[in-house]
Amino acid sequence: MGLLDGLRAALGLRAETDARRDADPDDLFGMSTAYLTMEADLGYESLDIGALCFSGVDSHSFSETVDEVVAILEAGQEETGTEFSVSKDDHGYHWVILEDDDPEDLITSMHFAADTFIERGYGSRLLAAVFGYEDRNGDPAYWIYSFRRGAYYPFAPRSGRERDSSAEFKLESALDGELEIEREKEYWYPLWPSERGTHPWE
């Protein structure tokens, strides 16, 4: 539900062909300082929620990898307090959804999950990491990290499947240098929620 059919082209096969460098899950730690800039300089509050999107493989080994990700998150839950769930949308994409009011713990848990896929040889199945924010007017904005491109881009959805381009460019300008920004705007692909959903993973 959370992704349009073109996501595979935008974040998957096409991006893999055009990739400038190998994606590095350590890039996710860039959000550790970015969320402070979002709040102090731009007035965006973290929604205390993020998600990891991946495409599945019909194999026992991949199922074991997903089970390992779940086990790692469960083991760390007591220490970090990060709540999580795993879901699948109507397009067949999978999500690990994480919630934590401590952004550092949220990012760390997401990194552990992503790194596990990579260590088990399924890094190519990772599509995106999504971090949610909200401005003073209650309008949402997301930072999306494309694993295939190794870069971030902003996404500011509005009602009627419109995008607030001015908000996105403002976010780009403010975080440029703090995050590895996707320079080619054709890869700023929208991750629309379903008609009933609020977030891209819904």
Side-chain angles (χ1 to χ4, degrees):
M1 289 182 292
L3 302 174
L4 299 179
D5 293 333
L7 177 59
R8 185 183 298 274
L11 294 177
L13 300 178
R14 181 181 171 202
E16 185 172 26
T17 300
D18 296 342
R20 298 165 297 168
R21 64 180 178 84
D22 291 336
D24 184 349
D26 286 350
D27 289 344
L28 299 178
F29 287 123
M31 292 303 301
S32 296
T33 58
Y35 86 88
L36 296 173
T37 302
M38 291 284 286
E39 180 176 352
D41 296 352
L42 300 171
Y44 280 87
E45 295 283 346
S46 171
L47 292 175
D48 301 330
I49 190 168
L52 193 67
C53 180
F54 60 97
S55 56
V57 180
D58 188 16
S59 74
H60 179 67
S61 173
F62 185 75
S63 295
E64 286 185 333
T65 298
V66 175
D67 290 342
E68 185 176 342
V69 169
V70 170
I72 287 172
L73 292 176
E74 286 179 341
Q77 196 167 28
E78 184 174 343
E79 180 178 347
T80 65
T82 304
E83 301 288 336
F84 74 95
S85 61
V86 180
S87 66
K88 182 178 179 180
D89 65 33
D90 288 349
H91 298 285
Y93 295 103
H94 302 258
W95 294 87
V96 178
I97 304 157
L98 305 108
E99 296 184 62
D100 198 313
D101 59 9
D102 185 332
E104 299 280 356
D105 287 342
L106 178 68
I107 295 162
T108 298
S109 297
M110 188 177 291
H111 178 274
F112 278 140
D115 203 42
T116 301
F117 281 108
I118 292 170
E119 287 183 351
R120 290 294 299 268
Y122 290 107
S124 64
R125 311 310 297 182
L126 291 170
L127 296 177
V130 183
F131 300 90
Y133 293 87
E134 186 177 77
D135 70 12
R136 295 186 182 95
N137 296 320
D139 292 324
Y142 301 89
W143 277 105
I144 299 172
Y145 176 76
S146 168
F147 284 95
R148 301 293 178 82
R149 295 287 292 174
Y152 286 89
Y153 65 91
F155 174 48
R158 298 295 180 262
S159 61
R161 297 212 165 188
E162 298 290 334
R163 298 175 71 165
D164 188 338
S165 297
S166 63
E168 292 179 355
F169 292 143
K170 182 178 180 180
L171 291 171
E172 175 194 21
S173 177
L175 275 297
D176 191 9
E178 198 163 345
L179 295 175
E180 178 70 26
I181 302 292
E182 174 57 65
R183 301 301 178 188
E184 299 182 43
K185 304 241 177 348
E186 63 187 286
Y187 288 104
W188 288 23
Y189 200 77
L191 302 187
W192 301 111
S194 70
E195 291 184 1
R196 300 180 303 278
T198 301
H199 302 296
W201 49 85
E202 296 177 336

